[in-house]
């Protein structure tokens, strides 16, 4: 019960901050969609893809290790200093690589060189960020973490919007990156001051941290390939316009995936780490997967109805070319969220090697899928290949995770997911049929999307968790 209350409270605070941050991101993207050309998004995505060569080295990718060690009591004292010095060393080395790319592209007709310079500076001074996040997560100060991330998002979006209006090109992204870097330095200096470790960081200390964190670096390569390398692959075969459309659709849809997935993950990993019994830890993961899917699957399916009309209304048809890609990504929105939850379980259980080998495989498969789509040509085909890989990988990871835990629970989970999927898809089909019959306009389709999501969740709660639904109804009546 204590674990459930701690998990619920932590998720509530972080989800509130994440929700507010992502709503700001949505507003910012609306403005950017007006003031920037499609090519500007393509140029920024190209620069972002190029950073994949070095971005995986940021902070030595040991944030989750620091949190787990601190929660377990092994990261206190001098050993924490070793982690931070290890991270800073990687930041310095990788930033010089980014500075080199900035120099090579400085005279380019676009502003890729300037973008690379901002990435390099952010990489060099990224240590305060990992100190803030690790301190808040390990100590359970989720409210402070939420406020920090909300402030960061507010500054980021205000900056990018201001310079988008002022300059009207991709340089706005560079200034927002620099503003966030300065923000992290200031917040750390005033609110998260830490004593300078006098402990020597010699070869033996480096080797000790390396043995603990090497698999995290491997996983960071996979994450970098999945989050940034994909833009580089598309840019090799497609135009800036095609890349800009894909990037715009990806950014728009990923906002909603992060709202739930990252919020739960940031809290779930440290909470699961505090559970000593492995069976109890796996049982907690199983409950979170089932309950979370009850909301994210209806949201994914129902949002497909409204995403296209919303894009058409907001940007007056400017981004019509990205609608199909956005619909495909929206329909499979729940899959990366479930994957993130499994990753949290691996991290909490100390399965670093397994977690990161799997993430590299995910990144490789994504690059291959997107590469095939890019070579054959067309934004729609690229999006289809990307979501097919998302589907197969999600099913594989769930199967593999439960293979290590319980075969019986695996059957129950897939039956649960199938039932939730059937109810959600049936509700969506009824809604679409009614809309087509009455030839409804964009506004009606958007409201119908929201209504379908609400009805799907209500039906699923009444079926799977009637007690929780009764409690929810009672609270609504009281309010």
């Amino acid at each position: 019960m204590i674990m459930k209350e701690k998990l619920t409270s932590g998720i509530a605070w972080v989800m509130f901050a994440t929700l507010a941050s992502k709503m700001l991101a949505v507003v910012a993207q609306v403005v950017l969609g007006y003031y920037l050309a499609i090519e500007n998004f393509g140029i920024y995505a190209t620069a972002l893809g190029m950073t994949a060569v070095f971005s995986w080295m940021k902070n030595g990718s040991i944030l989750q290790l620091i949190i787990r060690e601190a929660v377990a009591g092994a990261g206190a004292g001098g050993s924490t200093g070793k982690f931070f010095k290890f991270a800073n060393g990687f930041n310095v080395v990788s930033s010089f690589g980014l500075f080199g790319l900035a120099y090579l592209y400085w005279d380019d007709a676009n502003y890729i060189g300037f973008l690379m310079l901002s990435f390099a500076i952010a990489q060099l001074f990224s240590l305060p960020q990992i100190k803030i996040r690790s301190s808040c997560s390990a100590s359970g100060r989720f409210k402070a973490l939420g406020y920090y991330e909300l402030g960061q998002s507010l500054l980021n979006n205000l900056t990018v919007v201001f310079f988008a209006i002022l300059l009207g090109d991709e340089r706005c992204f560079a200034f927002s990156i620099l503003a966030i870097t300065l923000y992290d330095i200031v917040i750390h200096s005033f609110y998260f001051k830490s004593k300078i470790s006098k402990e020597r960081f010699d070869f033996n200390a480096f080797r000790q941290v390396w043995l603990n964190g090497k698999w995290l670096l491997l996983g960071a390569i996979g994450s970098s390939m999945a989050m940034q390398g994909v833009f580089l692959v598309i840019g090799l075969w497609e135009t800036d316009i095609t890349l800009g459309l894909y990037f715009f659709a990806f950014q728009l849809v990923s906002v909603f995936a992060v709202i739930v997935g990252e919020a739960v993950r940031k809290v779930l990993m440290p909470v699961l780490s505090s559970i000593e019994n492995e069976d109890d830890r796996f049982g907690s993961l199983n409950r979170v997967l089932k309950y979370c899917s009850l909301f994210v699957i209806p949201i994914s399916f129902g949002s497909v109805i409204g995403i296209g009309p919303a894009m058409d209304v907001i940007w007056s048809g400017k981004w019509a070319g990205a609608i199909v890609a956005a619909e495909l990504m929206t329909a499979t929105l729940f899959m990366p969220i479930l994957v993130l939850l499994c990753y949290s379980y691996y991290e909490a259980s100390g399965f670093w090697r397994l977690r990161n080998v799997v993430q590299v495989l995910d990144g490789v498969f994504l690059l291959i899928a997107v590469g095939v789509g890019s070579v054959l040509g067309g934004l729609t085909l690229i999006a289809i290949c990307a979501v097919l890989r998302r589907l197969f990988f999600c099913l594989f990871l769930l199967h593999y995770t439960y293979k290590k835990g319980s075969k019986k629970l695996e059957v129950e989970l897939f039956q649960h997911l199938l039932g939730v999927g059937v109810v959600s898809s049936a509700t969506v089909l009824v809604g679409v049929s009614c809309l087509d019959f009455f030839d409804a306009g964009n506004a009606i389709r958007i409201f119908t999307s929201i209504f379908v999501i609400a009805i799907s969740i209500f039906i699923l709660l009444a079926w799977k968790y009637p007690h929780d639904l009764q409690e929810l109804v009672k609270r609504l009546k009281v309010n």
Side-chain angles (χ1 to χ4, degrees):
M1 182 61 69
I2 295 177
M3 190 283 293
K4 182 178 180 180
E5 292 177 355
K6 187 176 181 181
L7 181 62
T8 303
S9 175
I11 290 176
W13 273 107
V14 178
M15 187 171 288
F16 166 76
T18 306
L19 176 63
S21 299
K22 297 311 171 183
M23 288 302 101
L24 289 172
V26 170
V27 174
Q29 185 154 351
V30 170
V31 178
L32 294 178
Y34 274 107
Y35 284 93
L36 298 185
I38 297 175
E39 299 93 311
N40 296 138
F41 283 93
I43 293 169
Y44 173 66
T46 298
L48 192 63
M50 292 169 60
T51 65
V53 180
F54 298 103
S55 62
W56 60 273
M57 300 171 67
K58 182 178 180 180
N59 287 320
S61 299
I62 58 172
L63 173 61
Q64 298 303 104
L65 177 60
I66 294 176
I67 294 173
R68 184 177 186 276
E69 291 293 311
V71 171
S79 61
T80 304
K82 293 179 181 179
F83 286 117
F84 290 139
K85 289 178 180 178
F86 177 88
N88 194 50
F90 274 89
N91 288 340
V92 172
V93 172
S94 58
S95 65
F96 276 102
L98 294 172
F99 278 121
L101 290 176
Y103 175 78
L104 290 175
Y105 286 90
W106 192 257
D107 294 328
D108 193 83
N110 301 313
Y111 292 103
I112 291 181
F114 184 56
L115 287 166
M116 299 307 297
L117 177 63
S118 66
F119 285 124
I121 294 174
Q123 190 97 333
L124 183 62
F125 296 101
S126 59
L127 191 63
Q129 184 181 102
I130 192 176
K131 288 186 175 181
I132 295 170
R133 293 183 183 278
S134 62
S135 175
C136 291
S137 297
S139 60
R141 291 183 292 167
F142 298 118
K143 184 184 293 188
L145 179 61
Y147 283 136
Y148 159 73
E149 294 189 343
L150 184 58
Q152 189 183 65
S153 176
L154 182 62
L155 177 62
N156 174 50
N157 291 294
L158 287 177
T159 304
V160 75
V161 166
F162 174 78
F163 282 101
I165 297 173
L166 181 66
L167 303 174
D169 56 45
E170 61 271 13
R171 285 176 292 176
C172 62
F173 296 106
F175 284 109
S176 69
I177 294 169
L178 295 174
I180 289 303
T181 303
L182 181 61
Y183 170 84
D184 289 338
I185 294 173
V186 171
I187 293 297
H188 177 263
S189 299
F190 282 92
Y191 299 103
F192 292 88
K193 291 182 180 179
S194 55
K195 296 181 180 179
I196 299 176
S197 176
K198 297 181 180 179
E199 186 179 10
R200 290 183 59 189
F201 189 65
D202 51 18
F203 176 77
N204 289 331
F206 176 86
R207 184 174 179 273
Q208 180 183 356
V209 180
W210 168 260
L211 291 175
N212 289 324
K214 60 183 179 181
W215 295 112
L216 288 172
L217 279 168
L218 180 63
I221 296 176
S223 177
S224 181
M225 286 190 291
M227 297 300 295
Q228 297 160 322
V230 62
F231 304 131
L232 182 61
V233 171
I234 296 174
L236 291 175
W237 282 282
E238 295 288 351
T239 64
D240 285 340
I241 292 180
T242 300
L243 178 56
L245 290 171
Y246 182 89
F247 178 77
F248 190 85
F250 175 81
Q251 287 292 99
L252 183 64
V253 176
S254 65
V255 164
F256 301 100
V258 171
I259 289 175
V260 179
E262 280 298 312
V264 177
R265 181 173 180 266
K266 288 171 185 175
V267 180
L268 184 62
M269 187 271 182
V271 171
L272 288 181
S273 296
S274 64
I275 302 175
E276 296 182 0
N277 186 279
E278 185 62 32
D279 291 337
D280 292 341
R281 185 183 296 140
F282 186 82
S284 297
L285 169 69
N286 181 57
R287 289 190 293 272
V288 171
L289 282 171
K290 285 184 176 181
Y291 204 77
C292 192
S293 65
L294 212 65
F295 293 90
V296 295
I297 293 179
I299 291 174
S300 297
F301 288 5
S303 297
V304 175
I305 300 175
I307 186 72
M311 293 175 68
D312 189 49
V313 168
I314 294 172
W315 292 289
S316 303
K318 178 180 178 180
W319 295 96
I323 288 179
V324 175
E327 289 175 338
L328 289 169
M329 294 178 190
T330 301
T332 55
L333 180 67
F334 66 95
M335 295 177 186
I337 295 175
L338 300 183
V339 168
L340 283 175
L341 300 183
C342 291
Y343 283 165
S344 295
Y345 166 71
Y346 288 165
E347 292 163 357
S349 299
F351 301 147
W352 301 110
R353 178 177 178 178
L354 175 60
R355 181 248 192 267
N356 294 294
V357 168
V358 168
Q359 189 165 7
V360 168
L361 292 176
D362 182 27
V364 170
F365 290 146
L366 176 60
L367 294 186
I368 293 174
V370 170
V372 170
S374 300
V375 171
L376 296 178
L379 177 63
T380 301
L381 187 57
I382 294 172
I384 290 174
C385 291
V387 299
L388 284 176
R389 152 262 162 196
R390 179 184 282 182
L391 170 64
F392 290 128
F393 181 76
C394 179
L395 295 176
F396 161 76
L397 186 64
L398 289 174
H399 167 70
Y400 191 83
T401 302
Y402 276 76
K403 183 180 179 181
K404 296 177 67 65
S406 169
K407 183 67 176 178
K408 180 182 178 181
L409 289 179
E410 179 187 357
V411 173
E412 291 179 358
L413 175 70
F414 279 103
Q415 288 177 343
H416 173 86
L417 295 178
L418 180 61
V420 174
V422 169
V423 170
S424 301
S425 58
T427 311
V428 168
L429 288 175
V430 172
V432 171
S433 299
C434 293
L435 290 171
D436 291 341
F437 180 79
F438 292 104
D439 194 23
N442 285 336
I444 298 299
R445 290 180 181 274
I446 294 171
F447 284 114
T448 301
S449 177
I450 299 172
F451 180 73
V452 164
I453 292 172
I455 291 297
S456 298
I457 293 176
F458 179 85
I459 294 173
L460 289 169
L461 281 174
W463 176 29
K464 297 288 186 179
Y465 297 93
H467 178 71
D468 287 3
L469 180 61
Q470 292 173 3
E471 290 295 322
L472 178 61
V473 171
K474 288 180 181 178
R475 292 184 180 182
L476 291 175
K477 287 183 179 179
V478 171
N479 294 332

